[in-house]
Amino acid sequence: MTPVGTSLDPISRGFYCRVMGQLDEHGIPFLVGGAYAFERYTGIARHTKDFDLFIHPRDVERGLAVLAADGCTTDVPFPHWLAKAHCGEDVVDLIYSSGNGVALVDDDWFRYSVAETVLDVPIRLIPAEEMIWSKAFIMERERYDGGDVAHILRACADTLDWPRLLQHLVMFGFIYPCERARVPAAVMRELMGRLDRELTRPAADRVCRGTLISRAQYLVDVEHWGYTDPRLAPDGNLTSEERARWTAGIADDGPSGVPVPTVEGRQAA
């Protein structure tokens, strides 16, 4: 399996290294994620056309200013989580949250990051725990990252900080029944205890948490069936304007976009 970055053309490689160098020179902390972190944790190489850097929200404006001064074209397609730096056809994504606003990059991402070398540059990778957490919410029709989550769990189970990962573990036991024991029993008992407590609690507000895992497939619930959207304040981190912009971006994903659900026929409210 060819390591990620091996087949990069010199121009792309130079641009990625230049961006990392500029951020480092100006004291803007960053973490490498995406295909490079995924390969480090799982051994699975995946060749992509972009380069993912994670930065703290407080550093976004300064980072964009530094890169713009260095000759990059910058834009912020989704202000609640994603900015970009362009040089010709090459793109660096500056990620500081997630599309649903849940996986906000904070100091813990840097505190638990992992030292590594990428493109011959000493850097730090996003922690495996945060990679699992952010990927666990990606369940769109055109992209589902559950396989990535399972592969990271399989590769890193012996070294993960399990108290930070008390979520998204049931599917791992289904996918790898022979590896189920690698998830500490105490962790699974805690999850089952939480589920048991939920069964005895009074029903929560009329909320649809489906919007946390798919921005397209549960629009009908919050737009037509009266469910509240947990992405919005005070429960979530998105404003109404940010949600509208993120929803409008659905049409730009994939070669033909993702169909937005509509209300057809008789539906139960």
Side-chain angles (χ1 to χ4, degrees):
M1 188 177 292
T2 305
V4 177
T6 303
S7 60
L8 269 181
D9 67 82
I11 294 176
S12 298
R13 183 187 184 94
F15 174 55
Y16 297 160
C17 291
R18 190 177 106 214
V19 168
M20 291 190 288
Q22 283 294 309
L23 294 177
D24 185 57
E25 181 180 328
H26 288 82
I28 300 173
F30 65 88
L31 303 172
V32 175
Y36 293 86
F38 187 69
E39 181 186 19
R40 160 64 170 77
Y41 291 128
T42 68
I44 300 172
R46 181 178 295 159
H47 300 276
T48 61
K49 295 181 179 180
D50 55 3
F51 191 60
D52 292 347
L53 297 182
F54 289 73
I55 63 176
H56 198 287
R58 63 175 169 249
D59 294 323
V60 174
E61 289 188 15
R62 194 159 61 100
L64 289 174
V66 164
L67 297 178
D70 191 51
C72 299
T73 301
T74 63
D75 68 299
V76 186
F78 299 108
H80 69 286
W81 78 281
L82 177 66
K84 291 177 178 283
H86 307 258
C87 183
E89 296 183 358
D90 295 313
V91 180
V92 170
D93 286 340
L94 299 178
I95 301 168
Y96 42 95
S97 184
S98 55
N100 61 13
V102 171
L104 194 69
V105 176
D106 60 18
D107 292 334
D108 277 351
W109 288 59
F110 293 87
R111 184 175 298 117
Y112 296 104
S113 60
V114 176
E116 186 54 89
T117 299
V118 168
L119 303 180
D120 299 322
V121 177
I123 51 85
R124 299 192 72 85
L125 300 175
I126 63 172
E129 293 85 357
E130 273 67 24
M131 194 172 201
I132 291 170
W133 179 38
S134 56
K135 281 182 170 292
F137 286 105
I138 301 176
M139 300 186 188
E140 297 287 2
R141 295 175 66 175
E142 80 283 8
R143 177 178 171 184
Y144 171 67
D145 279 6
D148 287 357
V149 170
H151 282 125
I152 299 169
L153 286 170
R154 176 187 172 278
C156 302
D158 297 336
T159 57
L160 287 173
D161 185 347
W162 288 103
R164 292 171 57 218
L165 257 190
L166 274 172
Q167 321 177 50
H168 315 301
L169 299 177
V170 175
M171 280 298 291
F172 177 73
F174 173 77
I175 295 168
Y176 295 113
C178 61
E179 305 280 2
R180 188 177 292 138
R182 298 184 66 191
V183 178
V187 172
M188 297 307 297
R189 289 194 190 98
E190 172 66 20
L191 287 175
M192 289 187 288
R194 292 184 184 186
L195 177 61
D196 186 61
R197 290 191 291 274
E198 280 189 10
L199 294 175
T200 60
R201 265 187 217 143
D205 294 336
R206 190 172 171 82
V207 60
C208 175
R209 294 197 178 107
T211 57
L212 295 176
I213 58 176
S214 171
R215 61 173 164 167
Q217 297 182 73
Y218 298 94
L219 286 178
V220 64
D221 298 81
V222 297
E223 292 182 354
H224 297 286
W225 295 348
Y227 290 91
T228 59
D229 189 340
R231 296 175 297 177
L232 297 177
D235 299 313
N237 295 316
L238 270 62
T239 65
S240 296
E241 292 75 17
E242 289 170 339
R243 180 182 68 170
R245 187 166 183 170
W246 184 227
T247 300
I250 293 172
D252 297 328
D253 278 355
S256 58
V258 180
V260 177
T262 56
V263 180
E264 295 180 358
R266 185 175 179 272
Q267 301 285 358

